[in-house]
Amino acid sequence: MSGNDREAAVRRLLEQAPRPLPPEIHAEAVRRGGRMLRRRTLARRVMWLLLLAAAVAFTVWALTARPWVEPPSDTTPPLTGW
């Protein structure tokens, strides 16, 4: 099928009247769509909660471990010149 044939076939399909859908399809689509929205909302809330928990855990760790402070030296420098 060449590009012109494909375009003509698509135009014929678009010019036709849409076929009627069975009435139960609408109710099923609404039910599934609502369920998908609830799942996405729950997933988004869980992700924000995990992000908040990670930020709190990092803050607590940083305040207790203080990684920006140089650790104390375990050895003393040699004493010379006494």
Side-chain angles (χ1 to χ4, degrees), residues 40-56:
R40 284 183 187 167
T41 303
L42 179 64
R44 191 176 302 121
R45 287 182 180 168
V46 167
M47 293 301 288
W48 276 112
L49 182 64
L50 287 174
L51 181 65
L52 178 66
V56 168

Side-chain angles (χ1 to χ4, degrees), residues 5-75:
D5 294 339
R6 246 184 269 163
E7 184 178 342
V10 169
R11 286 186 187 276
R12 278 194 306 272
L13 285 174
L14 290 176
E15 289 172 355
Q16 293 175 357
R19 296 180 186 158
L21 294 174
E24 66 270 3
I25 287 182
H26 178 265
E28 181 71 15
V30 168
R31 185 181 65 81
R32 286 185 179 187
R35 184 172 55 194
M36 283 175 40
L37 285 176
R38 284 190 302 275
R39 283 183 182 174
R40 284 183 187 167
T41 303
L42 179 64
R44 191 176 302 121
R45 287 182 180 168
V46 167
M47 293 301 288
W48 276 112
L49 182 64
L50 287 174
L51 181 65
L52 178 66
V56 168
F58 175 77
T59 303
V60 168
W61 170 80
L63 290 175
T64 57
R66 296 191 322 198
W68 56 86
V69 176
E70 185 176 334
S73 177
D74 292 335
T75 59

